[in-house]
Amino acid sequence: MKIKNYLHESNNNEWYTPGYIIDDVYQVLGTIDFDPFSNHYANTIVQATHYYTIDNDALQQSWHNGKCFINPPYSRALINNCINKSIEHLLLDGNAGVILINVATDTKWFHDYIYNHAEVRFIKGRLKFSGAEHNAPFPSMIVVFNPI
């Protein structure tokens, strides 16, 4: 039997942000203009003006300017590309935004693009994504870029 490494891999990229986190995002941003990694159900909670679904492939699109909320897919195959695109949009293009991401202080992207570039808020305990049976198998953090 193969034991799956749940801290680093996931077959599921649908992790719905709990409402209380979205409430905190609205406290920081005021509004959410764009959510690049979403779907119809998730947007009933996030209520972004514009959003992309898996069918739109956010990595291949131009992103809407404005205040952005990002809860990227966590699979190893996607996360680095999603973080890179998010950093380009927030840090390099100067858009205000919040990323909900796993704590990965050992990664190159954390040190190159988040550490000393954004405000990091660690979430106490393990986040329980909406609709999930169990808490996340990883610690999570909120990363705030260019707050208004």
Side-chain angles (χ1 to χ4, degrees), residues 17-93:
T17 308
Y20 73 91
I21 297 289
I22 297 302
D23 292 343
D24 290 347
V25 172
Y26 274 95
Q27 289 293 315
V28 171
L29 298 178
T31 63
I32 298 174
D33 299 315
F34 180 54
D35 181 355
F37 305 108
S38 192
N39 61 42
H40 177 72
Y41 171 78
N43 199 55
T44 62
I45 298 166
V46 175
Q47 298 182 9
T49 305
H50 303 281
Y51 65 95
Y52 289 146
T53 68
I54 194 169
D55 295 328
N56 303 119
D57 190 359
L59 296 176
Q60 301 302 315
Q61 303 293 327
S62 293
W63 286 16
H64 295 269
N65 286 327
K67 301 171 187 174
C68 186
F69 170 69
I70 300 166
N71 178 4
Y74 291 92
S75 67
R76 185 177 290 182
L78 291 174
I79 195 161
N80 286 336
N81 291 335
C82 294
I83 292 296
N84 289 339
K85 181 85 172 188
S86 300
I87 295 302
E88 177 184 317
H89 184 71
L90 299 172
L91 186 61
L92 303 180
D93 292 346

Side-chain angles (χ1 to χ4, degrees), residues 25 28-29 31 63 66-70 82-101 109-121 141-148:
V25 172
V28 171
L29 298 178
T31 63
W63 286 16
K67 301 171 187 174
C68 186
F69 170 69
I70 300 166
C82 294
I83 292 296
N84 289 339
K85 181 85 172 188
S86 300
I87 295 302
E88 177 184 317
H89 184 71
L90 299 172
L91 186 61
L92 303 180
D93 292 346
N95 289 287
V98 172
I99 302 175
L100 172 63
I101 192 72
W109 55 259
F110 179 84
H111 286 276
D112 288 351
Y113 304 116
I114 294 175
Y115 187 69
N116 289 328
H117 296 285
E119 177 187 343
V120 177
R121 301 176 184 181
M141 63 184 173
I142 299 285
V143 181
V144 180
F145 287 89
N146 308 312
I148 302 300

